[in-house]
Each structure stands twice: as structure tokens, then as C-alpha cells.
Amino acid sequence: MTVQRVSRSSRSTAFKEVRSRLRSRGLRWTPQRRALIDVLSATDGHVTGAELVELCRDRDPETTPSTVYRTLEVLEEIGLVKHSHGRDGRQEFHIAPASEHGHAICENCGEVRELSEGDVAGLVGSLGKRGFAVDLSHLTVGGLCPRCGNSGVPLA
Amino acid sequence: MTVQRVSRSSRSTAFKEVRSRLRSRGLRWTPQRRALIDVLSATDGHVTGAELVELCRDRDPETTPSTVYRTLEVLEEIGLVKHSHGRDGRQEFHIAPASEHGHAICENCGEVRELSEGDVAGLVGSLGKRGFAVDLSHLTVGGLCPRCGNSGVPLA
DNA sequence: GAGCTTGCTGCAAGAGGTTGCATTAGCATC
DNA sequence: GATGCTAATGCAACCTCTTGCAGCAAGCTC
């Protein structure tokens, strides 16, 4: 439950931007959405849905999961966040980066690393030739990271 | 709930093999396991956990989910089945093939296609150089298949 | 065939996530 | 500021697994 601090100003800038993006689509700006965006802008890396619900509850104990998940859906639609699936298939969210990317997840320690364009170029090209348009944010590969792969007891 | 028919003989061959594989590890052969293997050997492609529970219930309405999921775990341990995660993060099982492979899942129609070694060679090599040992059965990529990508309304 | 060990089952409870529906409340308009 | 449209919320129920535990039974030994 470590939360990275960001400056007050960058946070409120994010608010205004999201608010106008919502409004331009006829969507509404509610306290619950504000809280979630606040939480999201203060977190780093990848967060699971359950963690976000938990963090929102820290701010407002009344928070209900369905609202959080529905808001995340909306935020993904307007391009603010992206979700991918962790090693156990659970959803993980992160603030949308400049470029889409895949993820490599260590099946032992759970560490997530982002894949570079070079890593996936072959796969994207190969599938592209067969007419399959790859969605990089939904490219997940499991395996063992260097630390876990080299140790004596890689898997439980 | 479509179930592919296979010959009686190939089915009972599978039984004997699994039974001995279990016994050699000190594991037991129970009616519930027999039922699940029966179901598995009669299905084609990828099945979700819930579907397997349902199919087992068709044979024995007493079937409980926990038994099915625990049996699937055991069968994966002895190498009979493999699981991967579908587009919504749900578990999908399939009878273990000769070689491990990744999956490409269409985010529109849900179709699953298997990735060839050539498709993933670049990614596996690239990650391998950095010390990450790829587990091919946990390589999943989302996107749009040729049918859905070319149609006028690719996504809902 | 009886006894014994211990792996397996079924139950119940719980976690994470989704969905339907009645109610509430943004916000545009007057 | 009052009104009305409708998006968003909160609740409850549900789905898909997962886990702990007590009791059952597979199958080894004698």
C-alpha cells in the first residue's frame, strides 16, 4: 500500500483535463470519479482492481467496488488508464503511458516488466502478416525473471 | 456446450495412462477424476473451468467445483492439461499438446489461435538474452483476428 | 478380508469481479 | 433557483475460483 507522492499542481492539472474529457462526451464529474482519479494519479506502476478499491476506501470508506470498476471502464474508454491481466488472470491497471506496451510477468515473484517495441516486433509482424492486429496492451508473457530463474528453487 | 465425440477405445486408453501416471506418484484414482478426464478427452480446443464444472455436472450432478479445480491442478502437474488465461482473465484448459505454445485471442469474437514457434522466436530470444525464461504456455496476446479487424464494426 | 495411512472429497466461507435495477444527483435549460 | 433528462451510484445477487477443514475412502500391507 505504498503511495507515491506527486505535487499538488500536477494532480489538479490531471483533474481538469479528465473533467473536460468526460464533459465533452456527455459524461459526468462526480466525487467518486474524482477520488479514483486522485488515487490513480498518486500511484505508480501497476495496481490491481482490488487494490484500487482498497485505496479509494482509505479516502472514502463508503466506496463500492462496482463504482470503481465501472469508473475504470470509463477512464479506459477516454484513454486515461489501460488494463492488462496479471499472472493469475486478475486485472491490473496503470495510467496510460505514451506508448502501448506488453508485459512480462515473473511467475515466481510476480515482478512485472514492460516489453520494448524491439522485443515484440517479430511477433507483431508475424501475426500481422496473417491478418491479426496485435493489441500490445494485451500482450502478456509469463516466465521466470533472472533472479528467480537462477536461484536454486525457482518455483514453489 | 458442444462435445466432440471420440472413439471408446481411445478414451479408455487415456484412462489407463492417466491412472498409472497418478499411481506412480502415490496419487489416487477416483470416480470424480475419472469423470473429469472423461469430459476432457471428449472436448476439443480450449474450455473454461466453469464449462468443465458444467460438463462434469452433466455426468454427475453432485460434482463440486472445488474438486474439479483441484483435479485440474493435479492433471496439470502430471502434464495432462495446460491452462492459460482467456481474454477476460478466466482460466482456460486444454489437453496438453506435444509442444508448448502461446495463444492469440481475438478481443471481438473470442477466437483463440495457437502461436507457432516462429511467431514467438524473436520475443523468446530477446527476453532470453536479458535472462527472462519465457513460459510459452503463459504467452497470451490480444488483438483483432482478420475477420473482425476487417469488418466495419470491429469492436462493440 | 481387515486395518491403516493419507490423499481426496464436499462443504462452507470468502475473495475478486460483474450485472441488473431502483434511486440519486450532475448539469443543461429555462 | 426550479425543472427535467439521464448518467452514475449503491445495493444485492451472482459468477468464478480459492482455501481450510473434517470426514471419507483408495489402495497398500498383512
Side-chain angles (χ1 to χ4, degrees), chain B residues 72-126:
Chain B
L72 284 166
E73 233 171 71
V74 170
L75 295 180
E76 189 157 10
E77 253 179 66
I78 66 171
L80 190 78
V81 303
K82 279 278 167 196
H83 86 272
S84 52
H85 294 285
R87 55 184 164 156
D88 51 0
R90 269 169 203 158
Q91 289 191 87
E92 293 195 341
F93 296 85
H94 52 145
I95 297 213
S99 66
E100 305 238 312
H101 58 258
H103 298 100
I105 306 178
C106 177
E107 287 166 3
N108 191 39
C109 67
E111 192 198 62
V112 178
R113 53 184 61 198
E114 300 184 353
L115 299 177
S116 72
E117 252 177 68
D119 289 331
V120 298
L123 178 59
V124 172
S126 176

Side-chain angles (χ1 to χ4, degrees), chain A residues 116-131:
Chain A
S116 72
E117 252 178 66
D119 289 331
V120 298
L123 178 59
V124 171
S126 176
L127 282 171
K129 272 185 209 145
R130 301 216 300 276

Side-chain angles (χ1 to χ4, degrees), chain A residues 83 85-90 104-107 111 113-116 118-120 122-123 126-127 130-136 138-146, chain B residues 83 85-90 104-107 111 113-116 118-120 122-123 126-127 130-136 138-146:
Chain A
H83 86 270
H85 294 284
R87 53 181 166 160
D88 52 359
R90 268 169 201 158
I105 306 177
C106 177
E107 286 166 3
E111 193 197 62
R113 51 184 62 195
E114 300 184 352
L115 299 177
S116 72
D119 289 331
V120 298
L123 178 59
S126 176
L127 282 171
R130 301 216 300 276
F132 190 95
V134 170
D135 166 12
L136 279 182
H138 272 152
L139 196 168
T140 305
V141 48
L144 289 176
C145 70
Chain B
H83 86 272
H85 294 285
R87 55 184 164 156
D88 51 0
R90 269 169 203 158
I105 306 178
C106 177
E107 287 166 3
E111 192 198 62
R113 53 184 61 198
E114 300 184 353
L115 299 177
S116 72
D119 289 331
V120 298
L123 178 59
S126 176
L127 282 172
R130 302 216 302 276
F132 191 95
V134 171
D135 165 13
L136 278 181
H138 273 151
L139 196 168
T140 306
V141 48
L144 290 174
C145 71

Side-chain angles (χ1 to χ4, degrees), chain A residues 51-111:
Chain A
E51 276 165 0
L52 285 172
V53 170
E54 206 49 52
L55 287 167
C56 284
R57 283 210 165 125
D58 284 351
R59 285 162 200 259
D60 175 9
E62 307 284 281
T63 308
T64 52
S66 54
T67 300
V68 173
Y69 287 109
R70 274 189 285 227
T71 301
L72 284 167
E73 235 170 71
V74 170
L75 295 180
E76 188 157 10
E77 254 179 65
I78 66 172
L80 190 77
V81 302
K82 279 279 168 194
H83 86 270
S84 53
H85 294 284
R87 53 181 166 160
D88 52 359
R90 268 169 201 158
Q91 289 190 86
E92 294 196 341
F93 297 86
H94 52 144
I95 298 213
S99 67
E100 305 237 316
H101 58 258
H103 297 100
I105 306 177
C106 177
E107 286 166 3
N108 190 39
C109 69
E111 193 197 62

